[in-house]
Amino acid sequence: MAKGKPWGGRFEQATDPTVERFSASIDFDRALARFDVRGSIAHARMLGAQGIIPEGEVGALVAGLEAVAREIENGSFPFDAALEDIHMNVESRLGHHVGKIAGRLHTGRSRNDQVATDLALYLREVSAAAQRGTLELRRVLVARADEHVDTLLPGYTHLQRAQPVRLAHHSLAFVEMLERDGGRFADLRARLDRSPLGAGALAGTTLRLDRERTARELGFSAPTRNSMDSVASRDLALEFLAAAAICMVTLSRLGEELVLWSTSEFGFIELADAFSTGSSLMPQKKNPDVPELVRGKSGRVIGDLVALLSVMKGLPLSYNRDMQEDKEPVFDAAATLRDCLEVMAGAVATLRVRDDRMRAAASDPMLLATDLAEALVREGVPFREAHEAVGRVVGHCVAKDLDLRTLSREDLRAFHTAFPDAAAALVDLESAIERRNLPGGPAKERVQAALADARVRLDREQSALEAAKETP
Ligand code: ARG
């Protein structure tokens, strides 16, 4: 008989030690311990209420499980690899506390519906935390944007200076991306509202479980609708990983801008000492390791998503042990994302903005070539024709090394007779931005309204997150 294993009856040999090591998941699935205990308490209460186990034993089972929860909390729980996974560890420890009646707990339950339930509870928690993390970073970006409504810098396409914008406008672009990133975690939670518990191994049970009751007690709105789907599916874990990977890509791009902007070549920002590192060899260096690592760790979270997609893609219904491989990618992505959101918030909150360097770069008059073409459009010139004429003006300035703003009305008229004024009057940095006053544009009024609106949305989202918190 196989010692310690609840399936001992059927087996004559003990598990080979290599198999024991190979198949054990306790080193990582201990992260599910709290959720496993919570699920077990709900299950035990339901079994008692349904008269499936003696009501009188429920109190002892719940007290025993609470003792286990305390041991997990204070780090004294004796995790045992011979017991394979967290489910058997908890059950065995319960036996230590309450004796033989612990054997009643697994009535009408399989580790298959148990692990699916644990994972759903875990995903609910980490997706709320991830959303909160994006929210905190957004708050920092909005606060920094607020300081820099009047800081002008070039906006880039192809990493070539394109048109001038406000730094606040640039920061708010990341706020938008992070709001959608946070929204993906909220969307996922709407789908994480069904309890797999009671699906059994795959086909439920002959015992009269009350699935509605355990669902409610665990904060789900209802039981899952199909027992096979309940134990066979990991799409919600995949969805978490996809949302995490997308969010990491946002962070990676923000990180890349911080790296680029802190070069001597750009010199747009200086990271705080507390968020930079030195070189062990070159005394002059201050390196942007934090945003670089965030950029690097995006690769790891993308890998987590690809790993689980690959595990799942060929599996027949319903549960297969392959699915034990779901956990490490999910845990890794959740922890990595949490840390990256936190350090990025710190780095952005503390970096110094070099307004002077940004404005100097934004003052490149070539950034206003489009405005010159639009001045012709206002005179009734077709845009293509205006674009061509201004292209020749720019070519002339480049060839002769001239500042565009020094061209007189006559100079301009040599390129197109419709130019209404001297270049200096047509291309002014401040008014160029102010004229970009469409919804979503960088004009001051628009940016200030966008900031106010972003703050309202942040408060609303925060209240919704807090209201959702009190579900058990
Ligand atoms: N440790 C397992 C997992 O994570 C729990 C479910 C085991 N079920 C089984 N039939 N072996 O998937």
Side-chain angles (χ1 to χ4, degrees):
M1 151 140 170
K3 273 200 291 65
K5 301 279 161 70
W7 54 76
R10 160 83 172 77
F11 283 66
E12 290 180 356
Q13 294 178 340
T15 313
D16 189 274
T18 55
V19 172
E20 198 166 279
R21 258 199 321 272
F22 179 69
S23 60
S25 55
I26 190 61
D27 282 345
F28 47 87
D29 69 9
R30 60 179 65 188
L32 296 176
R34 269 190 301 126
F35 308 102
D36 200 71
V37 170
R38 212 194 292 168
S40 289
I41 290 177
H43 187 65
R45 288 199 179 123
M46 179 276 294
L47 291 175
Q50 294 295 99
I52 298 170
I53 65 173
E55 273 267 50
E57 291 177 7
V58 172
L61 282 174
V62 170
L65 285 162
E66 280 165 352
V68 169
R70 278 194 299 278
E71 290 175 329
I72 290 162
E73 186 80 16
N74 66 28
S76 67
F77 187 92
F79 291 105
D80 180 358
L83 293 167
E84 205 177 289
D85 60 21
I86 185 60
H87 322 295
M88 295 202 286
N89 266 268
V90 168
E91 192 181 327
S92 155
R93 188 67 187 161
L94 178 64
H96 167 87
H97 289 297
V98 304
K100 230 175 130 205
I101 61 163
R104 296 212 189 266
L105 178 64
H106 211 54
T107 309
R109 187 176 75 168
S110 154
R111 283 184 295 156
N112 298 352
D113 59 340
Q114 197 180 349
V115 74
T117 306
D118 292 4
L119 193 63
L121 293 172
Y122 173 89
L123 287 171
R124 249 176 22 192
E125 189 169 293
V126 290
S127 60
Q131 189 188 348
R132 214 170 294 122
T134 70
L135 197 133
E136 274 151 26
L137 177 54
R138 277 178 272 155
R139 279 217 188 275
V140 169
L141 283 162
V142 165
R144 296 308 314 255
D146 200 42
E147 295 166 33
H148 290 285
V149 172
D150 292 319
T151 303
L152 307 184
L153 79 162
Y156 295 78
T157 61
H158 313 272
L159 202 50
Q160 305 284 319
R161 286 177 187 169
Q163 287 170 345
V165 293
R166 295 175 188 285
L167 179 53
H169 193 58
H170 183 283
S171 304
L172 284 169
F174 278 103
V175 172
E176 293 290 331
M177 294 183 230
L178 286 162
E179 182 170 328
R180 289 193 296 276
D181 290 342
R184 275 182 267 275
F185 293 109
D187 295 347
L188 164 61
R189 279 203 310 292
R191 266 181 295 286
L192 278 167
D193 73 334
R194 289 188 171 261
S195 167
L197 200 57
L202 79 161
T205 166
T206 59
L207 302 167
R208 304 296 308 159
L209 303 189
D210 183 349
R211 295 193 64 203
E212 271 81 17
R213 182 192 158 117
T214 45
R216 227 178 306 116
E217 178 158 349
L218 294 172
F220 295 102
S221 66
T224 47
R225 282 188 292 255
N226 181 293
S227 63
M228 293 182 80
D229 166 55
S230 310
V231 297
S233 298
R234 291 294 181 270
D235 55 294
L236 298 174
L238 287 170
E239 197 173 339
F240 174 76
L241 289 172
I246 294 170
C247 186
M248 282 300 300
V249 168
T250 304
L251 297 182
S252 178
R253 297 184 70 183
L254 177 58
E256 166 59 15
E257 302 238 300
L258 300 189
V259 171
L260 198 62
W261 285 7
S262 51
T263 57
S264 317
E265 285 72 11
F266 269 82
F268 282 4
I269 58 164
E270 192 189 329
L271 292 173
D273 288 356
F275 284 87
S276 322
T277 48
S279 159
S280 56
L281 190 145
M282 299 163 282
Q284 86 283 9
K285 299 261 326 250
K286 181 165 169 181
N287 293 328
D289 293 31
V290 167
E292 285 174 310
L293 270 170
V294 168
R295 198 174 56 186
K297 284 175 190 287
S298 66
R300 160 181 188 138
V301 176
I302 292 167
D304 290 330
L305 168 62
V306 174
L308 187 55
L309 282 168
S310 314
V311 166
M312 296 305 296
K313 72 177 273 295
L315 297 185
L317 293 191
S318 56
Y319 177 82
N320 301 270
R321 190 63 181 273
D322 314 46
M323 288 156 70
Q324 180 168 294
E325 293 293 313
D326 61 354
K327 290 171 199 63
E328 284 166 292
V330 169
F331 299 159
D332 182 68
T336 305
L337 179 61
R338 179 199 58 211
D339 292 350
C340 289
L341 284 164
E342 191 182 331
V343 289
M344 282 304 260
V348 172
T350 54
L351 62 81
R352 182 163 81 92
V353 173
R354 304 275 314 270
D355 315 44
D356 51 328
R357 298 271 313 192
M358 289 189 179
R359 180 171 280 267
S363 304
D364 176 350
M366 291 303 192
L367 299 191
L368 302 179
T370 319
D371 296 49
L372 212 51
E374 286 175 358
L376 284 177
V377 167
R378 278 193 292 273
E379 300 300 315
V381 178
F383 180 73
R384 287 283 168 231
E385 186 181 321
H387 183 286
E388 203 270 340
V390 174
R392 283 186 287 114
V393 172
V394 169
H396 170 74
C397 290
V398 171
K400 296 264 160 24
D401 198 19
L402 290 173
D403 182 331
L404 180 64
R405 287 165 301 191
T406 62
L407 300 188
S408 66
R409 182 170 182 234
E410 282 58 48
D411 294 336
L412 287 178
R413 288 198 167 215
F415 296 92
H416 200 295
T417 52
F419 275 112
D421 219 329
L426 300 174
V427 295
D428 168 65
L429 180 56
E430 303 284 346
S431 57
I433 297 192
E434 279 320 283
R435 274 203 219 104
R436 291 179 159 73
N437 195 17
L438 299 179
K444 187 162 183 167
E445 216 185 342
R446 291 288 181 185
V447 170
Q448 279 167 333
L451 267 170
D453 194 55
R455 267 199 217 90
V456 170
R457 292 198 311 276
L458 281 173
D459 290 342
R460 208 185 297 136
E461 194 177 322
Q462 183 140 17
S463 314
L465 260 173
E466 266 150 32
K469 232 190 208 163
E470 75 255 7
T471 47

